[in-house]
Amino acid sequence: MATETEIRFGILGCADIANKVSGAIKLAQNATVYAVGSRSLEKAKAFSAANSLGPNVKTYGSYEEVLDDPDVDAVYIPLPCGLHLRWAVLAAQKKKHILLEKPVSLNVAEFDAIVDACESNGVQIMDGTMWMHHPRTAAMREFLSDAHRFGDLKLIHTCFSLACGEDFLKNNIRVKPGLDGLGALGDAGWYCIRGILWAANYELPKTVIASEGAVLNEDGVILSCSASLHFQDGKIATFYCSFLSYLAMKITAIGTKGTLDANDFVVPFGDKPHFTTATKCWFNDVHTAWEPKPIQHPIGSDDLPQEARMVTEFSRLVREIKKGSKPEKKWPMISRKTQLVIDAVKASIENGFQPVEL
Amino acid sequence: MATETEIRFGILGCADIANKVSGAIKLAQNATVYAVGSRSLEKAKAFSAANSLGPNVKTYGSYEEVLDDPDVDAVYIPLPCGLHLRWAVLAAQKKKHILLEKPVSLNVAEFDAIVDACESNGVQIMDGTMWMHHPRTAAMREFLSDAHRFGDLKLIHTCFSLACGEDFLKNNIRVKPGLDGLGALGDAGWYCIRGILWAANYELPKTVIASEGAVLNEDGVILSCSASLHFQDGKIATFYCSFLSYLAMKITAIGTKGTLDANDFVVPFGDKPHFTTATKCWFNDVHTAWEPKPIQHPIGSDDLPQEARMVTEFSRLVREIKKGSKPEKKWPMISRKTQLVIDAVKASIENGFQPVEL
């Protein structure tokens, strides 16, 4: 049973990702899975059993029942993003704090409606971008913010691709216009764009231009695309996201005084992932090698995976709100900016790869 | 003195890079520095002394004298690329084989004139792109060609940047329209574009689009730019080259079944550089780590640095020609394609970042 200080989660829907996040809620010291709702009670019960949520977890045959349970503090919403507007707004109206899977919505107008509902009802909203919460991310941020070691940001390149099989490309919700209608852009591209905005300290680009060569399925859902983002001060970012290429999740940032790389920024290779920096390097006398060489920085995660850290941070904020604090606006702000750039890339693809001003 | 089987090099000009390449000629078993020419005899003598070329090396106070020396088999031309047309054509007419520094010319029409002169006179031409000759490059090529481990190429990203000081940005030949007038595009960008073409097995893109945000100096020389290359089969490449960002030289290739990375593809970090591949990776059950993890492949260079390997291969070809073989056409072919893409990027910048068809 939940203790006094644990935030009690209701899970809306039994998507694959909910297995990982329910595990994260169990790992988080300040949270507990309190209820699971599905469109069918059997599915909710099966999910609870498969994830060993224990006999005390409530199971409901509808999402409404989860929202109507007065003991639920917060909901985790892993539903297809086409359903986010409806269920997130309703959750906010029921005073439930919201951990919302990405992409947060089909477009920024929908997300604004969700945020309005959260603000009116005084509830926290945070998106489910797990890597933001890894201690490596904070260490990388520290490097990027170092005027001596990194200097001014000039270029960011990110990619996230995964080679999806035939079944996925025909049947997965991520390729269905009515469900996760943003396809690879909303799924893999979300991380690429978040990585860029994160590196740029959440400055928005002034122009976004999708690259020719985007691949759409017969329903017009994006399976693969790339784009460049152009910022006021001249810095440039490019990204590539795809369901049609092999697994890759890389971020490179080049400043005036250093560079940063991580090849596993979304899901770390293992327990002690690293990032690589170069600073004050040049060549040896005969220009045949670097001196000094770039440095690898391994970062442990204290045995708590990034998704459990995400739940912990979200639950901490909810706890603070229960004690009288205001919701943390940083999280919806960065969700919104990510969505705004997604919308711009999509618009650029739709208008024949013309620039879109933000 | 040169042995019977050593190719006797004349060096035209005492550019910085000639120090490295004269050292490479000394290291190569089948080549020797035979003569050095400069516009001033003093400079030629000083270069010879600084590089310990020995008392037998001839020094000339003009380039013509090097070309008129009947004992010179081949010339290394490190002159600014604005002078390549004149001196490379003359060298070919004098039956000298040519190792030509990159960028090979100011535009592809000039390079075609150089190649015509080489073909008419039966001499070999090769550009000075050293990394092509590192054994790592062959090992990476083998991975990219592996249908099972890498599959079909989908994305290439390369970058080469170096943060040049104020003096360089004011006075270096690489920022002077009359000298190396292609600026960062011809210098750093050469490697980026060559890396892309190499990864694509020298298939040319059908369209090249420079990105907004290119930085030009007051004389119109490119200091920083990026572009995307679009291929017939849908694969995409992007690159970034700059004199205004920190030292970086990265290549990433993503296929349908694997990925490849090297962060030092132009000048290796040290004696035993590596490249990294991922293939047959996915996540563990709870999606918190990769299984298996990507693999690092360290490659030694047998103590012979890549620039000495370049000289060795060039000299081997010259030796074969002396014995009756025809010049190897691969080398001018890949130089020409690299130049063609450089021209297209430049044209795209000049026409306001519009697509340029190749």
Side-chain angles (χ1 to χ4, degrees):
Chain A
M1 286 301 288
T3 65
E4 180 64 23
T5 55
E6 280 177 338
I7 299 305
R8 287 160 301 195
F9 272 82
I11 298 177
L12 294 199
C14 305
D16 272 355
I17 186 71
N19 296 303
K20 184 173 182 174
V21 174
S22 67
I25 296 170
K26 285 165 69 180
L27 279 173
Q29 293 289 314
N30 60 353
T32 192
V33 180
Y34 186 83
V36 177
S38 172
R39 284 170 297 172
S40 101
L41 186 58
E42 286 66 39
K43 270 181 78 177
K45 284 182 187 297
F47 179 91
S48 178
N51 288 283
S52 308
L53 299 181
N56 293 320
V57 166
K58 292 192 178 178
T59 47
Y60 291 118
S62 72
Y63 308 141
E64 287 90 342
E65 287 169 280
V66 178
L67 299 182
D68 284 333
D69 186 325
D71 290 327
V72 167
D73 296 311
V75 289
Y76 167 59
I77 305 184
L79 298 169
C81 82
L83 302 175
H84 285 189
L85 176 63
R86 175 175 171 197
W87 292 104
V89 167
L90 198 58
Q93 289 167 348
K94 302 279 186 175
K95 311 286 184 198
K96 307 304 185 195
H97 304 277
I98 302 170
L99 182 60
L100 185 62
E101 205 37 80
K102 33 63 46 188
V104 290
S105 53
L106 287 175
N107 54 60
V108 81
E110 286 193 6
F111 187 65
D112 284 345
I114 293 171
V115 173
D116 281 351
C118 290
E119 287 185 351
S120 311
N121 291 283
V123 298
Q124 181 69 48
I125 183 166
M126 178 191 279
D127 71 48
T129 311
M130 299 167 178
W131 70 270
M132 304 295 299
H133 302 271
H134 197 289
R136 177 174 58 170
T137 305
M140 292 196 296
R141 176 72 262 160
E142 198 182 334
F143 178 77
L144 294 182
S145 301
D146 189 321
H148 299 292
R149 291 190 299 158
F150 185 72
D152 299 324
L153 181 62
K154 291 293 208 171
L155 179 93
I156 316 151
H157 178 69
T158 58
C159 62
F160 188 169
S161 54
L162 61 169
C164 298
E166 217 172 303
D167 180 56
F168 180 103
L169 293 174
K170 269 193 184 158
N171 302 315
N172 193 278
I173 58 163
R174 290 179 186 78
V175 298
K176 298 291 178 189
L179 299 166
D180 274 352
L182 296 167
L185 176 62
D187 189 60
W190 175 273
Y191 296 104
C192 297
I193 292 167
R194 173 60 60 84
I196 291 168
L197 293 174
W198 166 82
N201 250 330
Y202 303 109
E203 179 187 344
L204 278 174
K206 65 180 175 61
T207 314
V208 170
I209 310 171
S211 301
E212 288 188 32
V215 180
L216 282 66
N217 71 11
E218 57 194 7
D219 295 322
V221 175
I222 297 163
L223 301 180
S224 178
C225 70
S226 65
S228 59
L229 284 62
H230 304 267
F231 293 78
Q232 189 66 44
D233 67 356
K235 67 177 165 277
I236 296 173
T238 57
F239 76 86
Y240 170 74
C241 62
S242 182
F243 286 155
L244 307 175
S245 293
Y246 192 72
L247 187 63
M249 40 181 80
K250 302 171 198 282
I251 184 165
T252 293
I254 304 181
T256 49
K257 295 185 176 177
T259 66
L260 176 145
D261 279 284
N263 284 352
D264 57 347
F265 81 107
V266 180
V267 176
F269 288 145
D271 284 344
K272 206 160 184 169
H274 68 261
F275 64 102
T276 305
T277 62
T279 196
K280 298 193 171 65
C281 301
W282 191 238
F283 303 124
N284 61 5
D285 282 349
V286 283
H287 279 214
T288 54
W290 293 44
E291 279 182 6
K293 305 198 193 318
I295 299 166
Q296 287 194 354
H297 308 263
I299 308 279
S301 69
D302 275 349
D303 296 331
L304 205 57
Q306 59 187 13
E307 56 273 20
R309 290 173 168 269
M310 173 180 76
V311 171
T312 301
E313 175 60 10
F314 174 80
S315 301
R316 185 188 71 77
L317 292 170
V318 172
R319 186 85 206 139
E320 291 300 315
I321 294 165
K322 283 172 163 255
K323 291 195 287 185
S325 296
K326 298 253 189 240
E328 171 59 72
K329 291 192 171 183
K330 172 193 165 185
W331 296 108
M333 179 274 285
I334 66 177
S335 305
R336 184 179 196 275
K337 287 184 173 180
T338 311
Q339 185 73 49
L340 206 57
V341 175
I342 283 184
D343 290 4
V345 174
K346 187 161 182 274
S348 180
I349 292 171
E350 286 167 356
N351 73 18
F353 311 107
Q354 292 304 301
V356 171
E357 305 293 326
L358 256 76
Chain B
M1 287 301 287
T3 64
E4 181 63 23
T5 55
E6 280 177 338
I7 299 305
R8 288 159 301 194
F9 272 84
I11 298 177
L12 294 198
C14 305
D16 272 355
I17 186 72
N19 296 303
K20 184 173 182 175
V21 174
S22 66
I25 296 170
K26 285 165 69 181
L27 279 173
Q29 294 288 315
N30 59 352
T32 192
V33 180
Y34 186 83
V36 176
S38 172
R39 282 170 299 172
S40 99
L41 185 59
E42 287 65 39
K43 270 180 77 178
K45 283 182 189 297
F47 179 90
S48 178
N51 287 283
S52 308
L53 298 181
N56 292 321
V57 166
K58 293 193 178 178
T59 46
Y60 291 117
S62 72
Y63 308 141
E64 287 90 342
E65 287 169 279
V66 178
L67 299 183
D68 284 333
D69 185 326
D71 290 329
V72 168
D73 297 312
V75 289
Y76 168 58
I77 305 183
L79 299 169
C81 81
L83 303 175
H84 284 189
L85 175 63
R86 174 175 171 198
W87 292 105
V89 166
L90 198 56
Q93 288 167 347
K94 302 277 186 176
K95 311 288 184 195
K96 307 303 185 194
H97 304 276
I98 302 170
L99 182 60
L100 186 62
E101 205 38 81
K102 33 63 45 190
V104 289
S105 53
L106 286 175
N107 55 60
V108 80
E110 286 194 4
F111 187 64
D112 283 345
I114 293 171
V115 173
D116 281 351
C118 290
E119 287 186 351
S120 310
N121 291 283
V123 298
Q124 181 67 49
I125 183 166
M126 178 190 279
D127 71 48
T129 311
M130 299 168 178
W131 69 270
M132 303 296 299
H133 302 272
H134 197 289
R136 177 174 59 170
T137 305
M140 292 196 297
R141 176 72 262 159
E142 198 181 335
F143 179 77
L144 293 182
S145 301
D146 190 321
H148 299 292
R149 291 190 299 158
F150 186 71
D152 300 323
L153 181 62
K154 291 293 209 173
L155 179 93
I156 315 151
H157 179 68
T158 58
C159 62
F160 188 169
S161 54
L162 61 170
C164 298
E166 217 172 303
D167 180 56
F168 179 104
L169 293 174
K170 268 192 185 158
N171 302 315
N172 192 277
I173 59 162
R174 290 180 185 78
V175 299
K176 298 291 178 189
L179 298 167
D180 275 352
L182 296 167
L185 176 61
D187 189 60
W190 175 274
Y191 295 104
C192 297
I193 292 168
R194 172 60 60 83
I196 291 168
L197 293 174
W198 167 81
N201 249 330
Y202 303 110
E203 179 187 343
L204 278 173
K206 66 181 174 63
T207 314
V208 170
I209 311 172
S211 300
E212 287 188 33
V215 180
L216 282 66
N217 72 11
E218 57 194 6
D219 294 322
V221 175
I222 297 162
L223 301 180
S224 178
C225 70
S226 64
S228 59
L229 284 61
H230 304 268
F231 293 79
Q232 189 65 44
D233 66 356
K235 65 177 165 278
I236 295 173
T238 57
F239 76 87
Y240 171 74
C241 62
S242 181
F243 286 155
L244 307 174
S245 293
Y246 191 71
L247 187 63
M249 41 181 80
K250 301 171 199 281
I251 185 165
T252 293
I254 304 181
T256 49
K257 296 186 176 175
T259 66
L260 177 146
D261 279 285
N263 283 352
D264 57 346
F265 81 105
V266 180
V267 176
F269 289 145
D271 284 344
K272 207 161 183 170
H274 69 261
F275 63 101
T276 304
T277 63
T279 197
K280 298 193 171 65
C281 302
W282 191 238
F283 304 125
N284 61 4
D285 282 350
V286 283
H287 279 216
T288 54
W290 294 42
E291 279 182 4
K293 306 199 194 316
I295 299 166
Q296 287 194 355
H297 308 264
I299 308 279
S301 67
D302 275 350
D303 298 331
L304 204 58
Q306 59 187 12
E307 56 274 19
R309 290 172 168 270
M310 173 180 76
V311 171
T312 302
E313 175 60 9
F314 174 78
S315 300
R316 186 188 70 76
L317 292 170
V318 171
R319 186 84 206 138
E320 291 300 314
I321 293 165
K322 283 171 162 255
K323 290 194 285 183
S325 295
K326 299 252 188 238
E328 171 59 73
K329 291 191 170 182
K330 173 193 165 186
W331 296 107
M333 179 274 285
I334 67 178
S335 305
R336 184 179 197 275
K337 287 184 172 180
T338 311
Q339 185 73 48
L340 206 57
V341 175
I342 283 185
D343 290 4
V345 174
K346 187 161 181 272
S348 179
I349 292 171
E350 286 167 357
N351 73 17
F353 311 106
Q354 292 304 301
V356 171
E357 306 292 326
L358 256 75

